[in-house]
């Protein structure tokens, strides 16, 4: 892939997306989070059931989907990805976030 100078944020967008899970799975995640938060000495909590999604602006096609962790982790991840989208070229972003094999 050639080094395209186009800013990644002009081509791609990032968002948090709730995973399509059954009510039973969501209830289990809630219980695990409550128990984990109550029992964990480091304050770690269970996954929030959200994914970080990066998609093309023109087609909406997803180019990256990954579990985003807890709500706090998801927020930090989204900020980092949006910062990279704003400051890097499409090619630079794709390389940095491993969107294609080298």
């Amino acid at each position: 892939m050639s080094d395209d100078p186009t800013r990644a944020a002009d081509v791609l967008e990032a968002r948090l997306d709730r995973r399509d899970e059954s009510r039973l799975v969501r209830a289990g995640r809630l219980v695990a989070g409550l128990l984990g938060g109550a029992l964990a000495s480091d304050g770690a909590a269970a996954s929030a059931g959200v994914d970080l999604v990066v998609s093309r602006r023109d087609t909406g096609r997803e180019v990256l989907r990954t579990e985003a962790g807890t709500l706090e982790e998801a927020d930090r991840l989204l900020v980092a990805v949006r910062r990279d989208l704003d400051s890097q070229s499409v090619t630079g972003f794709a390389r940095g976030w491993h969107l294609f094999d080298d």
Side-chain angles (χ1 to χ4, degrees), residues 16-86:
L16 296 176
D17 194 14
R18 181 162 296 284
R19 257 184 252 121
D20 187 21
E21 298 174 327
S22 71
R23 287 184 181 168
L24 182 60
V25 170
R26 283 194 303 265
R29 185 181 302 284
L30 175 64
V31 170
L34 292 173
L35 289 176
L39 299 176
S41 60
D42 63 356
S47 169
V50 294
D51 290 337
L52 170 77
V53 178
V54 177
S55 58
R56 292 181 54 105
R57 288 185 178 276
D58 59 351
T59 65
R61 186 178 69 85
E62 292 180 9
V63 297
L64 174 67
R65 177 178 282 268
T66 188
E67 184 176 339
T70 66
L71 288 178
E72 184 177 309
E73 292 166 337
D75 286 340
R76 284 195 309 260
L77 183 59
L78 182 61
V79 167
V81 169
R82 286 181 172 167
R83 181 184 58 235
D84 287 352
L85 286 170
D86 195 48

